[in-house]
Amino acid sequence: NEVLQKADIAMYAAKDGGRNCWRIYDPSLQQDAYESMVLTNSLRRALEHQEFSLQFQPEIRLSDRRIIGFEALLRWNSAEHGPVPPGKFVPLAEKSGTIAAIGEWVLREACRFSRRLHDAGCPGLHVAVNLSPRQLSANNFPEVVREILVETGIEPGQIAIEVTENILIEPMEDSIRKLTELRELGVEVALDDFGTGYSSLTYLRRLPVSILKIDKSFIDGILDDPKQAEYVGFIIDLAHALNLRVVAEGVEVNAQIDKLRELDCDAIQGFVFSRAVSEPAALRLLQDWTEVP
């Protein structure tokens, strides 16, 4: 029984390693499995205990350096474990099946924030929400979005759904159908972390996206590596040829802004302007700054 239990732990470690590989049991794997189990149990109660919150990172248009929207980012401050990073709890939420309820909560709260932006005199701003492949696989997902839009009283164009290329692991036709329903409704769809997954011209042409977000890993090298800058420029030109708006993520210094403007990038996100902040701080950003310093 003990051998089988340890083999099972090694098997799950292999699955976490990307499948199609192997792992040898190590006592540390058992500790990791125990910690994951404890965290998962706490995660199941986090919504009920109101332990989740959203922070908002602004998106800046380069042509006039104005805030044109925010990305909503989920945070978990556990009563038992303190702040837990998203990279740790989001995969657990995916595995445990709690991601659907958590994702619906995130979407509803982001739409409520969008409504407050509208009421504060900023109707043109959008709020972006990251979408889990498991959420998209739910048959009623487009209907859930419609219901939340009606409930919060915002226009579909005030919300953006961000998907990553790993949705292509799911049944492709089903994903395209649901995303197309959202686009026809008027919701913006963005392809996030572009270049880090299953990038393909075929996929890019078929997915009903209107925004392409270039991953930070590509932006980091544009000042020191001419080839990297050339590659980013190619992505931007390709996106524009497909009538997509381009957002560069993870911009940290002003020199990167200058380079991205030279490459004709449309918008940026990153620490150069602001980290993700609380809702009151996001509203103050709109009041205090009309453009990036």
Side-chain angles (χ1 to χ4, degrees):
N1 285 340
E2 185 178 349
V3 169
L4 288 173
Q5 181 189 45
K6 293 179 177 179
D8 198 48
I9 290 170
M11 178 189 70
Y12 279 106
K15 286 183 176 180
D16 289 342
R19 300 176 179 269
N20 205 26
C21 62
W22 52 268
R23 291 289 184 270
I24 294 175
Y25 171 80
D26 182 272
S28 64
L29 294 180
Q30 191 155 11
Q31 179 63 27
D32 291 344
Y34 175 75
E35 290 176 0
S36 293
M37 180 189 70
V38 171
L39 269 180
T40 299
N41 289 337
S42 298
L43 191 59
R44 295 183 191 279
R45 301 186 294 270
L47 267 180
E48 177 188 348
H49 294 170
Q50 300 181 340
E51 294 175 351
F52 290 120
S53 63
L54 292 183
Q55 292 193 329
F56 303 92
Q57 186 173 43
E59 181 184 316
I60 314 302
R61 184 169 54 207
L62 281 181
S63 61
D64 56 8
R65 298 166 78 97
R66 290 185 180 275
I67 297 175
I68 57 173
F70 291 90
E71 180 178 357
L73 299 168
L74 179 63
R75 299 292 184 258
W76 179 26
N77 188 13
S78 168
E80 298 173 74
H81 312 287
V84 184
K88 195 165 189 175
F89 74 79
V90 171
L92 293 178
E94 289 272 5
K95 287 181 185 177
S96 64
T98 57
I99 193 66
I102 293 171
E104 185 173 332
W105 179 88
V106 170
L107 180 60
R108 181 172 281 105
E109 291 301 308
C111 287
R112 286 173 177 164
F113 174 61
S114 182
R115 179 70 209 185
R116 287 189 281 272
L117 289 176
H118 181 277
D119 294 343
C122 304
L125 302 183
H126 67 265
V127 180
V129 176
N130 292 285
L131 183 67
S132 154
R134 189 177 289 269
Q135 283 177 269
L136 188 60
S137 67
N139 291 330
N140 66 336
F141 180 71
E143 186 57 37
V144 168
V145 175
R146 287 191 194 93
E147 290 174 359
I148 292 175
L149 290 174
V150 171
E151 174 190 323
T152 53
I154 67 170
E155 295 297 322
Q158 291 174 246
I159 202 75
I161 299 293
E162 295 192 1
V163 298
T164 56
E165 295 164 31
N166 60 5
I167 68 161
L168 306 178
I169 299 173
E170 304 298 324
M172 182 71 170
E173 297 304 325
D174 187 55
S175 296
I176 290 175
R177 177 183 62 78
K178 290 171 184 171
L179 292 175
T180 299
E181 282 188 48
L182 295 178
R183 287 288 291 129
E184 290 174 348
L185 184 64
V187 174
E188 296 272 17
V189 178
L191 184 59
D192 197 14
D193 299 338
F194 181 78
T196 61
Y198 303 88
S199 304
S200 159
L201 286 178
T202 301
Y203 292 144
L204 193 55
R205 288 183 61 193
R206 293 189 64 199
L207 286 172
V209 299
S210 51
I211 302 166
L212 187 147
K213 304 187 77 171
I214 303 176
D215 187 71
K216 179 184 185 299
S217 60
F218 295 104
I219 304 304
D220 287 342
I222 61 173
L223 298 180
D224 305 319
D225 185 348
K227 285 292 183 184
Q228 184 80 333
E230 186 178 346
Y231 181 64
V232 170
F234 167 74
I235 293 175
I236 293 170
D237 290 343
L238 171 64
H240 286 166
L242 295 171
N243 295 316
L244 305 179
R245 181 161 60 85
V246 183
V247 181
E249 297 184 289
V251 180
E252 296 182 346
V253 295
N254 283 312
Q256 289 175 326
I257 295 178
D258 296 336
K259 188 64 177 179
L260 288 164
R261 184 183 289 110
E262 180 186 319
L263 295 172
D264 203 24
C265 187
D266 300 300
I268 64 165
Q269 278 181 239
F271 293 171
V272 68
F273 178 68
S274 175
R275 295 173 181 268
V277 295
S278 66
E279 179 180 321
L283 292 172
R284 284 196 298 272
L285 275 177
L286 289 171
Q287 294 170 354
D288 296 342
W289 278 297
T290 56
E291 64 176 45
V292 180

